[in-house]
Amino acid sequence: EVRSITDLPGVGPATANKLIEAGYATLEAIAVATPQELSAAAGIPITTAQRIIKAAREALDIRFKTALEVKKERMQTRKITTGSRNLDDLLGGGIETKTITEFFGEFGSGKTQICHQVAVNVQLPVEKGGLSTPDKVAKAVYIDTEGTFRWERIEAMSKRWGLDPDEVMSNILYIRAINSDHQMAIVDELFNIVPKENIKLVIVDSVTGHFRAEYPGRENLAARQQKLNRHLHQLSRLAEIYDVAVIITNQVMAKPDVFYGDPTQAVGGHVLYHAPGVRVQLRKSRGNKRIARIVDAPHLPEGEAVFMITDYGIAD
Ligand code: ADP
Ligand code: MG
């Protein structure tokens, strides 16, 4: 099975190194290259380059498919419980693999708590709403851009299901992203790590923080959006190729109409304009109650769900 560039026919260690140095570190990069540029970059004959590109495309399943095949692939997507039946129902069963799910809302609306809970829940066996099989634990990657990850919450949320908290924590790969470039480099790296480690969930909390800080104001908006779109596209490919669920969060103002400096917020808050996926708006309600609403999803019914943030996690 071809999972990384070293598995491609005719790519030995020396060629692999040349390809990586020239920026062709992933199957995606090779799949979209031309034989000429690949040949020049790695010093290999054009015919070899053609063979490598073809193999990369086959490995990534880039080809014409019938609509029926698309249907069958889509039906294979699996769902992770959020811990709240109401929220699961709103999402059509839970957080879906092969898809980006965006949670957006004001500070304290529960985005980070949901991320923690799903990082635990993915590890549950399939019949309990996770993606672990008897022989393989489903792991999570947690990319933290704001420093709000708390292992104590993982512990509490694990105990809720009777899971061993240390075991659950050992199956969450945590990394702090220090800026937007680093954030994107981490996702590049995930194309190598995800298939090897049976990772079934990738969290980016928050996806927008660094981008907003580094590209402030209207004058930087176009550059910011362009880079952010590249990042979202990266995540969307990762989700699709490796049958992984991706959760991103995005903090927005409670009243976008008064936050006129940032048009991306005025439009409704979410960042998944051009990327496929599910957008969920979170609002604070009384006490520990929160309201979730699906925005702009053609395949899911309109509606709202009420859930709670408790000591032991996301619940009804
Ligand atoms: P966001 O990421 O959207 O800014 P969070 O997910 O961090 O918001 O949610 C913060 C809220 O979660 C807090 O306001 C609090 O109500 C709730 N919360 C956090 N920790 C606990 C806990 N241990 N027990 C109960 N509720 C908690
Ligand atoms: Mg947060």
Side-chain angles (χ1 to χ4, degrees), residues 120-187:
V120 172
N121 293 0
V122 70
Q123 301 185 39
L124 288 167
V126 172
E127 63 275 14
K128 293 200 169 149
L131 296 179
S132 288
T133 53
D135 57 315
K136 257 193 195 165
V137 179
K139 298 185 188 178
V141 164
Y142 203 115
I143 304 171
D144 183 7
T145 71
E146 297 177 336
T148 50
F149 178 83
R150 294 287 175 275
W151 63 266
E152 294 90 337
R153 298 299 292 142
I154 300 294
E155 189 170 70
M157 291 169 179
S158 307
K159 285 185 182 158
R160 165 188 189 182
W161 306 123
L163 298 171
D164 176 351
D166 285 0
E167 223 165 274
V168 170
M169 281 186 247
S170 70
N171 292 320
I172 298 173
L173 304 181
Y174 171 86
I175 187 162
R176 180 81 198 263
I178 50 180
N179 57 39
S180 66
D181 284 323
H182 185 218
Q183 193 174 322
M184 292 176 77
I186 291 166
V187 178

Side-chain angles (χ1 to χ4, degrees), residues 100 102 183-184 187 204 207-208 211 225-239 246 248 270-276:
I100 301 180
E102 173 181 349
Q183 193 174 322
M184 292 176 77
V187 178
V204 190
V207 80
T208 42
F211 290 87
Q225 276 312 110
Q226 199 176 14
K227 196 169 171 190
L228 188 57
N229 282 342
R230 216 168 355 113
H231 186 42
L232 295 171
H233 183 252
Q234 232 188 344
L235 288 166
S236 155
R237 292 290 298 151
L238 187 74
V246 172
I248 61 176
H270 64 78
V271 292
L272 282 178
Y273 294 109
H274 306 295

Side-chain angles (χ1 to χ4, degrees), residues 297-316:
H299 67 295
L300 290 170
E302 299 241 326
E304 292 190 339
V306 178
F307 66 92
M308 290 198 309
I309 309 175
T310 70
D311 253 355
Y312 53 88
I314 302 298
D316 284 317

Side-chain angles (χ1 to χ4, degrees), residues 279-292:
R279 304 135 183 91
V280 187
Q281 183 177 29
L282 299 179
R283 295 193 330 265
K284 286 187 200 169
S285 181
R286 208 176 273 257
N288 60 352
K289 282 202 179 129
R290 298 292 185 273
I291 302 164

Side-chain angles (χ1 to χ4, degrees), residues 6 8 10-17:
T6 48
L8 292 167
V11 178
T15 308
N17 278 339

Side-chain angles (χ1 to χ4, degrees), residues 16-296:
N17 278 339
K18 278 189 211 157
L19 287 169
I20 292 165
E21 270 169 32
Y24 300 96
T26 62
L27 293 177
E28 285 79 28
I30 290 173
V32 298
T34 65
Q36 289 74 14
E37 63 189 28
L38 209 60
S39 158
I44 50 176
I46 297 248
T47 49
T48 310
Q50 279 167 337
R51 205 147 37 89
I52 292 174
I53 291 167
K54 183 164 175 280
R57 286 181 186 170
E58 277 166 11
L60 296 175
D61 207 18
I62 300 172
R63 61 184 172 87
F64 271 114
K65 291 170 194 169
T66 66
L68 185 60
E69 281 179 279
V70 173
K71 174 187 168 186
K72 283 181 181 155
E73 278 176 16
R74 274 283 142 193
M75 307 259 297
Q76 279 169 11
T77 63
R78 292 171 295 167
K79 307 217 163 111
I80 310 164
T81 182
T82 59
S84 153
R85 177 59 73 83
N86 293 343
L87 186 52
D88 286 354
D89 288 347
L90 183 76
L91 292 166
I95 306 284
E96 220 180 346
T97 60
K98 292 188 195 276
T99 301
I100 301 180
T101 303
E102 173 181 349
F103 289 98
F104 69 100
E106 62 178 302
F107 175 77
S109 59
K111 303 180 294 294
T112 296
Q113 296 302 310
I114 290 176
C115 291
H116 281 69
Q117 184 73 71
V118 183
V120 172
N121 293 0
V122 70
Q123 301 185 39
L124 288 167
V126 172
E127 63 275 14
K128 293 200 169 149
L131 296 179
S132 288
T133 53
D135 57 315
K136 257 193 195 165
V137 179
K139 298 185 188 178
V141 164
Y142 203 115
I143 304 171
D144 183 7
T145 71
E146 297 177 336
T148 50
F149 178 83
R150 294 287 175 275
W151 63 266
E152 294 90 337
R153 298 299 292 142
I154 300 294
E155 189 170 70
M157 291 169 179
S158 307
K159 285 185 182 158
R160 165 188 189 182
W161 306 123
L163 298 171
D164 176 351
D166 285 0
E167 223 165 274
V168 170
M169 281 186 247
S170 70
N171 292 320
I172 298 173
L173 304 181
Y174 171 86
I175 187 162
R176 180 81 198 263
I178 50 180
N179 57 39
S180 66
D181 284 323
H182 185 218
Q183 193 174 322
M184 292 176 77
I186 291 166
V187 178
D188 273 337
E189 209 182 325
L190 285 180
F191 280 90
N192 299 319
I193 302 170
V194 163
K196 283 189 203 129
E197 294 278 341
N198 198 41
I199 286 156
K200 288 284 137 202
L201 170 68
V202 172
I203 292 162
V204 190
D205 183 25
S206 87
V207 80
T208 42
H210 285 316
F211 290 87
R212 289 219 173 98
E214 292 164 31
Y215 299 87
R218 275 182 179 274
E219 65 276 21
N220 289 315
L221 194 67
R224 183 223 283 173
Q225 276 312 110
Q226 199 176 14
K227 196 169 171 190
L228 188 57
N229 282 342
R230 216 168 355 113
H231 186 42
L232 295 171
H233 183 252
Q234 232 188 344
L235 288 166
S236 155
R237 292 290 298 151
L238 187 74
E240 201 161 305
I241 293 166
Y242 296 119
D243 190 25
V244 164
V246 172
I247 295 179
I248 61 176
T249 71
N250 173 26
Q251 187 145 309
V252 298
M253 295 291 153
K255 291 204 182 86
D257 49 311
V258 300
F259 197 68
Y260 45 81
D262 185 346
T264 62
Q265 298 223 2
V267 182
H270 64 78
V271 292
L272 282 178
Y273 294 109
H274 306 295
V278 179
R279 304 135 183 91
V280 187
Q281 183 177 29
L282 299 179
R283 295 193 330 265
K284 286 187 200 169
S285 181
R286 208 176 273 257
N288 60 352
K289 282 202 179 129
R290 298 292 185 273
I291 302 164
R293 185 169 71 95
I294 303 268
V295 175
D296 196 16

